[in-house]
Amino acid sequence: MKFLEHIDSDWIASKTHELVAIKSETLSEIEVCEFYACELESLGLIVERRPVANGRFNVYAELKGTNSQKSLIFNGHLDTIPIGESWPPRISEDKIFGRGSEDMKGGMAALLAMLRAFNLSETKLQGDIWITAVVGHEDAEAEKDGPLAMCQDINSGKISGDAILIVEGDSELWAMSTGSTVFQIILHSKLGGTHTNNISISQNPINFIGKIIAAIVKLQEEMDLGEKHPLVGSPRVDLGKINSGDYYNRTPITSTIEGIIRWLPGTTLSQTEALLHKIVDPIAQEGDLDVEIKFMLSREPFEVPADNFALQIASSAIVKTTGVAPKVIGKKIVGDANIFMPETGITTFYYGPGYKTAHSNEEWVSIAALSSLAKVLGGFAIDFLDEAN
């Protein structure tokens, strides 16, 4: 493929460094989005700055093909977690360092490099490519406003695609994720606060908190013996925070237990909510406790079958470019594919330059991996749109 000759590692490194140098924590993405939009315009694409909230916007650009019966969407987010004490942006001989380098500005720079190579090689695509960059991915405060706005635009026909490839993750085809919800169990004692000497320890609300924790541990043991997914194994429940009581010899009025539960494809959020209530409600009733369970940041699972056309074309493009067949993997974490696929019905999966330092203070991305990614993305686009038409 002629475009391969025009994938320039130095250019990708420089563009990644420029992106990383722009501070773009969630809810403060305007500057980086404007930079990315201008880069797309400099490559000859017509760009839409799609308003999301408070002046923030998604970036959409379309590269028209000679036959527009089929289209492909490339996607990524431009926001990052807080910079904190992360390494400052810099380039070494083989890496770019700094917050967002791996997660995921490097992948977004690779998309620019792919488009540049198409231009320089005068590559003509059969179908259309959409480049989509969203805000509001990382921080829960944004409530995924960028990805959800993009779903609205797909469902309204503003953007069209027969597959979505998110340029994030390692050099593997991430094709499945569990569903996930954060839960908060709130227990309110009808006794109110009283001296612990006034009641037996068996009546103390903390005793029933212990029973709920034991029941959740038993749930995990049962899940470990039950259905397993070939890519991720068993469903999982975890506890992260317990809050109860305000004094050593006074019974707690309100107690909370917080955690996260992840479920496999074939199970739904509503079924998972019912399962947790089935465990917690009888124990709360036994302890004469009012109970409320809140579910937050909920996402349904997504899964792309191994024989899916787009996944197979992507695997073939990776083999052609790298000489190595990629692993098809699943994860017990959620991402934007858990929004895009359930909300739009479009096949969605991931392939990126690396995922070893994301969210760490020592974040970096390999320049060689970015160059390889740009080649894979271009080869996938050409093969997918040619075969699909």
Coordinates of all heavy atoms in Angstrom, one line a residue, residues 296-382:
M296 N -24.8 3.8 40.3 CA -24.2 4.9 39.6 C -23.2 4.5 38.5 O -22.6 3.4 38.6 CB -23.5 5.8 40.6 CG -24.4 6.3 41.7 SD -23.5 6.9 43.2 CE -23.1 5.3 43.9
L297 N -23.0 5.3 37.6 CA -22.0 5.1 36.5 C -22.2 3.7 35.9 O -21.3 2.9 35.6 CB -20.6 5.1 37.1 CG -20.2 6.5 37.8 CD1 -18.8 6.4 38.4 CD2 -20.3 7.6 36.9
S298 N -23.5 3.4 35.6 CA -23.8 2.1 35.1 C -23.6 1.9 33.6 O -24.0 2.9 32.8 CB -25.3 1.8 35.4 OG -25.5 1.9 36.8
R299 N -23.1 0.8 33.2 CA -22.8 0.5 31.8 C -23.2 -0.9 31.5 O -22.8 -1.8 32.3 CB -21.4 0.8 31.4 CG -21.0 2.3 31.5 CD -21.6 3.1 30.4 NE -21.2 4.5 30.6 CZ -22.0 5.5 31.2 NH1 -23.2 5.1 31.6 NH2 -21.6 6.7 31.3
E300 N -23.9 -1.2 30.4 CA -24.1 -2.6 30.0 C -22.9 -3.2 29.3 O -22.0 -2.4 28.9 CB -25.3 -2.6 29.0 CG -26.6 -2.2 29.6 CD -27.2 -3.2 30.6 OE1 -26.6 -4.2 30.9 OE2 -28.4 -3.0 31.0
P301 N -22.8 -4.5 29.2 CA -21.6 -5.1 28.6 C -21.7 -4.8 27.1 O -22.7 -4.4 26.5 CB -21.8 -6.6 28.8 CG -22.9 -6.7 29.8 CD -23.7 -5.5 29.7
F302 N -20.5 -5.0 26.4 CA -20.5 -5.1 25.0 C -19.6 -6.3 24.6 O -18.7 -6.7 25.3 CB -20.0 -3.8 24.3 CG -18.5 -3.8 24.1 CD1 -17.9 -4.1 22.9 CD2 -17.6 -3.4 25.2 CE1 -16.5 -4.1 22.7 CE2 -16.2 -3.4 25.0 CZ -15.7 -3.7 23.8
E303 N -20.0 -6.8 23.4 CA -19.2 -8.0 22.9 C -19.3 -8.1 21.4 O -20.4 -8.0 20.9 CB -19.7 -9.3 23.5 CG -18.8 -10.5 23.1 CD -19.2 -11.8 23.8 OE1 -20.3 -11.8 24.4 OE2 -18.3 -12.7 23.9
V304 N -18.2 -8.2 20.7 CA -18.1 -8.4 19.3 C -17.8 -9.8 19.0 O -16.7 -10.3 19.5 CB -17.1 -7.5 18.6 CG1 -17.1 -7.7 17.1 CG2 -17.4 -6.0 18.9
P305 N -18.6 -10.6 18.3 CA -18.3 -12.0 18.1 C -17.0 -12.2 17.3 O -16.6 -11.3 16.5 CB -19.5 -12.5 17.3 CG -20.6 -11.5 17.6 CD -19.9 -10.2 17.8
A306 N -16.3 -13.3 17.5 CA -15.1 -13.6 16.9 C -15.2 -13.6 15.4 O -14.2 -13.3 14.6 CB -14.5 -14.9 17.4
D307 N -16.4 -14.0 14.8 CA -16.5 -14.1 13.4 C -17.1 -12.8 12.8 O -17.4 -12.8 11.6 CB -17.4 -15.3 13.0 CG -18.8 -15.1 13.6 OD1 -19.1 -14.2 14.4 OD2 -19.7 -16.0 13.3
N308 N -17.1 -11.7 13.5 CA -17.6 -10.4 13.0 C -16.7 -10.0 11.9 O -15.5 -10.0 11.9 CB -17.6 -9.4 14.1 CG -18.0 -8.0 13.7 OD1 -17.2 -7.2 13.3 ND2 -19.3 -7.7 13.7
F309 N -17.3 -9.5 10.8 CA -16.6 -9.0 9.6 C -15.6 -8.0 9.9 O -14.4 -8.1 9.5 CB -17.7 -8.5 8.6 CG -17.1 -7.9 7.4 CD1 -16.5 -8.7 6.4 CD2 -17.1 -6.5 7.2 CE1 -15.9 -8.1 5.2 CE2 -16.5 -5.9 6.1 CZ -15.9 -6.7 5.1
A310 N -16.0 -6.9 10.6 CA -15.0 -5.8 10.9 C -13.8 -6.3 11.7 O -12.7 -5.9 11.5 CB -15.7 -4.7 11.6
L311 N -14.1 -7.2 12.7 CA -13.1 -7.7 13.6 C -12.1 -8.5 12.8 O -10.9 -8.4 13.0 CB -13.7 -8.5 14.7 CG -12.8 -8.8 15.9 CD1 -12.5 -7.5 16.7 CD2 -13.5 -9.7 16.9
Q312 N -12.6 -9.3 11.9 CA -11.7 -10.2 11.0 C -10.9 -9.3 10.1 O -9.7 -9.6 9.9 CB -12.6 -11.2 10.3 CG -13.2 -12.3 11.1 CD -13.9 -13.3 10.3 OE1 -14.3 -13.1 9.2 NE2 -14.0 -14.5 10.9
I313 N -11.5 -8.3 9.5 CA -10.7 -7.4 8.6 C -9.6 -6.7 9.4 O -8.5 -6.6 8.9 CB -11.6 -6.4 7.9 CG1 -12.6 -7.1 6.9 CG2 -10.8 -5.4 7.1 CD1 -11.9 -7.8 5.8
A314 N -9.9 -6.3 10.6 CA -8.9 -5.6 11.4 C -7.8 -6.5 11.8 O -6.6 -6.2 11.7 CB -9.6 -5.1 12.7
S315 N -8.1 -7.8 12.1 CA -7.1 -8.8 12.4 C -6.2 -9.0 11.3 O -5.0 -9.1 11.4 CB -7.8 -10.1 12.9 OG -6.8 -11.0 13.2
S316 N -6.8 -9.1 10.1 CA -6.0 -9.3 8.9 C -5.1 -8.1 8.6 O -3.9 -8.3 8.2 CB -6.9 -9.5 7.7 OG -6.2 -9.6 6.5
A317 N -5.6 -6.9 8.8 CA -4.8 -5.7 8.6 C -3.6 -5.7 9.5 O -2.5 -5.2 9.2 CB -5.6 -4.5 8.7
I318 N -3.8 -6.1 10.8 CA -2.7 -6.1 11.7 C -1.7 -7.1 11.3 O -0.4 -6.8 11.4 CB -3.3 -6.4 13.1 CG1 -4.2 -5.3 13.6 CG2 -2.2 -6.7 14.1 CD1 -5.1 -5.7 14.8
V319 N -2.1 -8.3 10.9 CA -1.1 -9.3 10.4 C -0.3 -8.8 9.2 O 0.9 -8.9 9.2 CB -1.8 -10.6 10.0 CG1 -0.9 -11.6 9.4 CG2 -2.5 -11.2 11.3
K320 N -1.0 -8.1 8.3 CA -0.2 -7.6 7.1 C 0.8 -6.6 7.5 O 1.9 -6.5 6.9 CB -1.3 -6.9 6.2 CG -2.1 -7.9 5.4 CD -3.1 -7.1 4.5 CE -4.1 -7.9 3.8 NZ -5.0 -7.1 3.0
T321 N 0.5 -5.8 8.5 CA 1.3 -4.6 8.9 C 2.4 -5.1 9.9 O 3.6 -4.6 9.7 CB 0.5 -3.5 9.6 OG1 -0.6 -3.1 8.7 CG2 1.3 -2.3 9.9
T322 N 2.1 -5.9 10.8 CA 3.1 -6.2 11.9 C 3.7 -7.6 11.8 O 4.7 -7.9 12.4 CB 2.4 -6.1 13.3 OG1 1.4 -7.2 13.4 CG2 1.7 -4.8 13.5
G323 N 3.0 -8.5 11.0 CA 3.4 -9.9 10.8 C 3.0 -10.8 12.0 O 3.4 -11.9 12.0
V324 N 2.2 -10.2 12.9 CA 1.8 -11.0 14.1 C 0.3 -10.9 14.2 O -0.3 -9.9 14.2 CB 2.5 -10.4 15.4 CG1 2.0 -11.2 16.6 CG2 4.0 -10.4 15.3
A325 N -0.3 -12.1 14.4 CA -1.7 -12.2 14.6 C -2.1 -11.6 16.0 O -1.5 -12.0 17.0 CB -2.2 -13.6 14.5
P326 N -3.0 -10.7 16.1 CA -3.3 -10.1 17.4 C -4.2 -11.0 18.3 O -4.9 -11.8 17.8 CB -4.1 -8.8 17.0 CG -4.8 -9.3 15.8 CD -3.9 -10.2 15.0
K327 N -4.0 -10.8 19.6 CA -4.9 -11.5 20.5 C -6.3 -10.8 20.5 O -6.3 -9.6 20.3 CB -4.4 -11.4 21.9 CG -3.2 -12.3 22.2 CD -2.7 -12.2 23.6 CE -1.5 -13.0 23.9 NZ -1.1 -12.9 25.3
V328 N -7.4 -11.5 20.6 CA -8.7 -10.9 20.9 C -8.9 -11.0 22.3 O -8.9 -12.1 22.9 CB -9.8 -11.6 20.0 CG1 -11.1 -11.0 20.3 CG2 -9.5 -11.5 18.5
I329 N -9.2 -9.9 23.0 CA -9.2 -9.9 24.5 C -10.6 -9.3 24.9 O -11.3 -8.6 24.2 CB -8.1 -9.1 25.1 CG1 -8.1 -7.6 24.7 CG2 -6.7 -9.7 24.6 CD1 -7.3 -6.7 25.6
G330 N -10.8 -9.5 26.2 CA -11.9 -8.9 26.9 C -11.3 -8.2 28.2 O -10.2 -8.6 28.6
K331 N -12.1 -7.3 28.8 CA -11.6 -6.7 30.0 C -12.8 -6.5 31.0 O -13.9 -6.4 30.6 CB -11.1 -5.3 29.7 CG -9.7 -5.3 28.9 CD -9.2 -3.8 28.7 CE -7.9 -3.8 28.0 NZ -6.8 -4.2 28.9
K332 N -12.4 -6.5 32.2 CA -13.4 -6.2 33.3 C -13.4 -4.8 33.6 O -13.5 -4.4 34.8 CB -13.1 -7.1 34.5 CG -13.4 -8.6 34.3 CD -13.2 -9.4 35.6 CE -13.6 -10.8 35.3 NZ -13.3 -11.7 36.6
I333 N -13.2 -3.9 32.7 CA -13.3 -2.5 32.8 C -14.2 -2.0 31.7 O -14.4 -2.7 30.7 CB -12.0 -1.7 32.8 CG1 -11.3 -2.0 31.5 CG2 -11.1 -2.2 34.0 CD1 -10.0 -1.1 31.3
V334 N -14.8 -0.8 31.9 CA -15.7 -0.3 30.9 C -15.1 0.9 30.2 O -14.3 1.6 30.8 CB -17.1 0.1 31.5 CG1 -17.8 -1.1 32.1 CG2 -17.0 1.2 32.5
G335 N -15.5 1.1 29.0 CA -15.1 2.3 28.2 C -16.2 2.8 27.4 O -17.4 2.4 27.6
D336 N -15.9 3.6 26.4 CA -16.9 4.1 25.5 C -17.6 3.1 24.6 O -18.7 3.3 24.2 CB -16.4 5.3 24.7 CG -16.1 6.5 25.6 OD1 -16.6 6.5 26.8 OD2 -15.4 7.5 25.2
A337 N -17.0 2.0 24.4 CA -17.7 0.9 23.6 C -18.9 0.4 24.4 O -19.9 0.0 23.8 CB -16.7 -0.2 23.3
N338 N -18.8 0.5 25.7 CA -20.0 0.1 26.5 C -21.1 1.1 26.4 O -22.2 0.8 26.8 CB -19.6 0.0 28.0 CG -18.7 -1.2 28.3 OD1 -17.5 -1.0 28.1 ND2 -19.2 -2.3 28.8
I339 N -20.9 2.2 25.8 CA -21.9 3.2 25.5 C -22.3 3.1 24.0 O -23.5 2.9 23.7 CB -21.5 4.6 25.8 CG1 -21.1 4.8 27.3 CG2 -22.5 5.7 25.4 CD1 -20.6 6.2 27.6
F340 N -21.3 3.1 23.1 CA -21.6 3.2 21.7 C -22.4 2.0 21.2 O -23.4 2.1 20.5 CB -20.3 3.3 20.9 CG -19.5 4.5 21.1 CD1 -18.1 4.6 21.0 CD2 -20.2 5.7 21.4 CE1 -17.4 5.7 21.2 CE2 -19.5 6.9 21.6 CZ -18.1 6.9 21.5
M341 N -21.9 0.8 21.6 CA -22.6 -0.4 21.0 C -24.0 -0.7 21.5 O -24.9 -0.9 20.7 CB -21.7 -1.7 21.2 CG -22.0 -2.8 20.3 SD -20.6 -4.0 20.2 CE -21.4 -5.3 19.3
P342 N -24.2 -0.6 22.8 CA -25.6 -0.7 23.3 C -26.5 0.4 22.8 O -27.7 0.2 22.5 CB -25.5 -0.7 24.8 CG -24.1 -1.2 25.1 CD -23.3 -0.6 24.0
E343 N -26.0 1.6 22.7 CA -26.8 2.8 22.4 C -27.1 2.9 20.9 O -28.2 3.4 20.5 CB -26.2 4.1 22.8 CG -26.1 4.3 24.3 CD -27.5 4.5 24.9 OE1 -28.4 5.1 24.3 OE2 -27.7 4.1 26.1
T344 N -26.2 2.4 20.0 CA -26.3 2.6 18.6 C -26.4 1.3 17.8 O -26.9 1.3 16.7 CB -25.1 3.4 18.0 OG1 -23.9 2.6 18.0 CG2 -24.9 4.7 18.8
G345 N -26.0 0.2 18.4 CA -26.1 -1.1 17.7 C -24.9 -1.3 16.8 O -24.8 -2.3 16.1
I346 N -24.0 -0.3 16.7 CA -22.8 -0.4 15.8 C -21.7 -1.2 16.4 O -21.3 -1.0 17.5 CB -22.3 1.0 15.3 CG1 -23.4 1.7 14.6 CG2 -21.1 0.8 14.4 CD1 -23.0 3.2 14.2
T347 N -21.2 -2.2 15.6 CA -20.0 -3.0 16.1 C -18.9 -2.0 16.5 O -18.5 -1.1 15.8 CB -19.5 -3.8 14.9 OG1 -20.4 -4.8 14.6 CG2 -18.2 -4.5 15.3
T348 N -18.4 -2.2 17.7 CA -17.4 -1.3 18.3 C -16.3 -2.1 19.0 O -16.6 -3.1 19.7 CB -18.0 -0.3 19.3 OG1 -19.1 0.4 18.7 CG2 -17.0 0.7 19.8
F349 N -15.1 -1.8 18.7 CA -13.9 -2.5 19.4 C -12.8 -1.5 19.5 O -12.8 -0.4 18.9 CB -13.6 -3.8 18.8 CG -13.3 -3.7 17.3 CD1 -12.0 -3.6 16.8 CD2 -14.3 -3.9 16.4 CE1 -11.7 -3.5 15.5 CE2 -14.1 -3.8 15.0 CZ -12.8 -3.6 14.5
Y350 N -11.7 -2.0 20.1 CA -10.5 -1.1 20.4 C -9.2 -1.7 19.8 O -9.1 -3.0 19.8 CB -10.2 -0.9 21.8 CG -11.3 -0.4 22.7 CD1 -12.4 -1.2 23.1 CD2 -11.3 0.9 23.2 CE1 -13.4 -0.7 24.0 CE2 -12.3 1.4 24.0 CZ -13.3 0.6 24.4 OH -14.3 1.1 25.3
Y351 N -8.3 -0.9 19.4 CA -7.0 -1.2 19.1 C -6.1 0.0 19.2 O -6.4 1.1 18.6 CB -6.8 -1.8 17.6 CG -5.4 -2.3 17.3 CD1 -5.1 -3.6 17.7 CD2 -4.5 -1.5 16.6 CE1 -3.8 -4.1 17.4 CE2 -3.3 -2.0 16.3 CZ -2.9 -3.2 16.7 OH -1.6 -3.7 16.4
G352 N -5.0 -0.1 20.0 CA -4.3 1.1 20.3 C -2.8 0.9 20.4 O -2.3 -0.2 20.0
P353 N -2.0 1.9 20.8 CA -0.6 1.8 20.8 C 0.0 1.2 22.1 O 1.2 1.0 22.2 CB -0.2 3.3 20.7 CG -1.2 4.0 21.4 CD -2.5 3.2 21.2
G354 N -0.8 1.1 23.2 CA -0.3 0.6 24.4 C -1.2 1.0 25.6 O -2.0 1.9 25.4
Y355 N -1.1 0.2 26.7 CA -2.0 0.5 27.8 C -1.3 0.1 29.1 O -2.0 -0.3 30.1 CB -3.3 -0.3 27.6 CG -4.5 0.4 28.2 CD1 -4.9 1.7 27.7 CD2 -5.4 -0.2 29.1 CE1 -6.0 2.3 28.2 CE2 -6.5 0.5 29.6 CZ -6.8 1.7 29.1 OH -8.0 2.3 29.6
K356 N 0.0 0.4 29.2 CA 0.7 -0.1 30.3 C 0.9 1.1 31.3 O 1.1 0.8 32.5 CB 2.1 -0.6 29.9 CG 2.0 -1.9 29.0 CD 3.4 -2.3 28.5 CE 3.3 -3.6 27.7 NZ 2.5 -3.4 26.5
T357 N 0.9 2.3 30.9 CA 1.2 3.4 31.8 C 0.0 4.4 31.9 O 0.2 5.4 32.6 CB 2.5 4.2 31.3 OG1 2.2 4.8 30.0 CG2 3.7 3.3 31.2
A358 N -1.1 4.1 31.3 CA -2.2 5.0 31.4 C -2.6 5.3 32.8 O -2.6 4.4 33.7 CB -3.4 4.3 30.7
H359 N -2.9 6.5 33.1 CA -3.3 7.0 34.4 C -2.2 7.0 35.5 O -2.4 7.4 36.6 CB -4.5 6.2 35.0 CG -5.8 6.5 34.2 ND1 -7.0 6.3 34.8 CD2 -6.0 6.9 33.0 CE1 -8.0 6.6 33.9 NE2 -7.4 7.0 32.8
S360 N -1.0 6.6 35.1 CA 0.1 6.7 36.0 C 0.8 8.0 35.9 O 0.7 8.7 34.9 CB 1.1 5.5 35.7 OG 1.9 5.8 34.6
N361 N 1.6 8.4 36.9 CA 2.4 9.6 36.9 C 3.6 9.5 35.9 O 4.1 10.5 35.5 CB 2.9 10.0 38.3 CG 1.8 10.5 39.1 OD1 0.8 10.9 38.6 ND2 2.0 10.6 40.4
E362 N 4.0 8.2 35.6 CA 5.1 8.0 34.6 C 4.5 7.6 33.3 O 5.0 6.6 32.6 CB 6.0 6.9 35.2 CG 6.7 7.3 36.5 CD 5.8 7.1 37.7 OE1 4.9 6.2 37.7 OE2 5.9 7.9 38.6
E363 N 3.5 8.3 32.8 CA 2.8 7.9 31.5 C 3.7 8.2 30.3 O 4.3 9.3 30.2 CB 1.5 8.7 31.4 CG 0.7 8.2 30.2 CD -0.7 8.8 30.2 OE1 -1.1 9.5 31.2 OE2 -1.4 8.6 29.2
W364 N 3.8 7.3 29.4 CA 4.5 7.5 28.2 C 3.9 6.6 27.1 O 3.2 5.6 27.4 CB 6.0 7.2 28.3 CG 6.3 5.8 28.8 CD1 6.5 5.4 30.1 CD2 6.5 4.6 28.0 NE1 6.7 4.1 30.2 CE2 6.8 3.5 28.9 CE3 6.4 4.3 26.7 CZ2 7.0 2.2 28.5 CZ3 6.6 3.0 26.2 CH2 6.9 2.0 27.2
V365 N 4.3 6.9 25.8 CA 3.9 6.0 24.7 C 5.0 5.8 23.8 O 5.8 6.8 23.6 CB 2.6 6.6 24.0 CG1 3.0 7.9 23.3 CG2 2.0 5.6 23.0
S366 N 5.1 4.7 23.2 CA 6.2 4.4 22.3 C 6.0 5.0 20.9 O 4.9 4.9 20.3 CB 6.3 2.8 22.1 OG 7.0 2.5 20.9
I367 N 7.0 5.7 20.3 CA 6.9 6.2 19.0 C 6.7 5.2 18.0 O 5.9 5.3 17.0 CB 8.1 7.1 18.7 CG1 8.2 8.3 19.7 CG2 8.1 7.6 17.3 CD1 9.4 9.1 19.6
A368 N 7.5 4.1 18.1 CA 7.3 2.9 17.2 C 5.9 2.4 17.2 O 5.4 2.0 16.1 CB 8.4 1.9 17.5
A369 N 5.3 2.3 18.4 CA 4.0 1.8 18.5 C 3.0 2.7 17.8 O 2.0 2.2 17.1 CB 3.6 1.6 19.9
L370 N 3.2 4.0 17.9 CA 2.3 5.0 17.2 C 2.4 4.8 15.7 O 1.4 4.9 15.0 CB 2.6 6.4 17.7 CG 2.3 6.7 19.1 CD1 2.7 8.1 19.4 CD2 0.8 6.5 19.4
S371 N 3.6 4.7 15.2 CA 3.9 4.5 13.8 C 3.2 3.3 13.3 O 2.5 3.3 12.2 CB 5.4 4.5 13.5 OG 5.6 4.3 12.1
S372 N 3.3 2.2 14.0 CA 2.7 0.9 13.7 C 1.2 1.1 13.7 O 0.5 0.6 12.8 CB 3.1 -0.2 14.6 OG 2.4 -1.4 14.4
L373 N 0.7 1.8 14.7 CA -0.8 2.0 14.8 C -1.3 2.7 13.6 O -2.3 2.4 13.0 CB -1.1 2.8 16.1 CG -2.6 3.2 16.3 CD1 -3.5 1.9 16.3 CD2 -2.7 4.0 17.5
A374 N -0.6 3.8 13.2 CA -1.1 4.6 12.0 C -1.2 3.7 10.8 O -2.1 3.8 9.9 CB -0.2 5.8 11.8
K375 N -0.2 2.8 10.6 CA -0.2 1.9 9.4 C -1.3 0.9 9.5 O -2.0 0.6 8.5 CB 1.2 1.2 9.4 CG 2.3 2.1 9.1 CD 3.7 1.3 9.2 CE 4.9 2.2 9.0 NZ 6.1 1.5 9.1
V376 N -1.6 0.4 10.7 CA -2.7 -0.6 10.9 C -4.0 0.1 10.6 O -4.9 -0.5 9.9 CB -2.6 -1.2 12.3 CG1 -4.0 -1.9 12.6 CG2 -1.5 -2.1 12.5
L377 N -4.2 1.3 11.1 CA -5.5 2.0 10.9 C -5.7 2.2 9.5 O -6.9 2.1 9.0 CB -5.5 3.3 11.7 CG -5.3 3.2 13.2 CD1 -5.3 4.6 13.9 CD2 -6.5 2.4 13.8
G378 N -4.7 2.7 8.8 CA -4.9 2.9 7.3 C -5.2 1.7 6.5 O -6.0 1.7 5.7
G379 N -4.4 0.6 6.9 CA -4.7 -0.7 6.2 C -6.1 -1.2 6.5 O -6.7 -1.7 5.6
F380 N -6.5 -1.1 7.7 CA -7.9 -1.5 8.1 C -8.9 -0.7 7.3 O -9.9 -1.3 6.8 CB -8.0 -1.4 9.6 CG -9.5 -1.6 10.0 CD1 -10.1 -2.7 9.7 CD2 -10.1 -0.6 10.8 CE1 -11.5 -3.0 10.2 CE2 -11.4 -0.8 11.2 CZ -12.1 -2.0 10.9
A381 N -8.7 0.6 7.3 CA -9.7 1.5 6.6 C -9.8 1.1 5.1 O -10.9 0.9 4.6 CB -9.3 2.9 6.7
I382 N -8.7 0.9 4.4 CA -8.7 0.5 3.0 C -9.4 -0.8 2.8 O -10.3 -1.0 2.0 CB -7.3 0.5 2.5 CG1 -6.7 2.0 2.4 CG2 -7.2 -0.1 1.1 CD1 -5.2 2.1 2.1

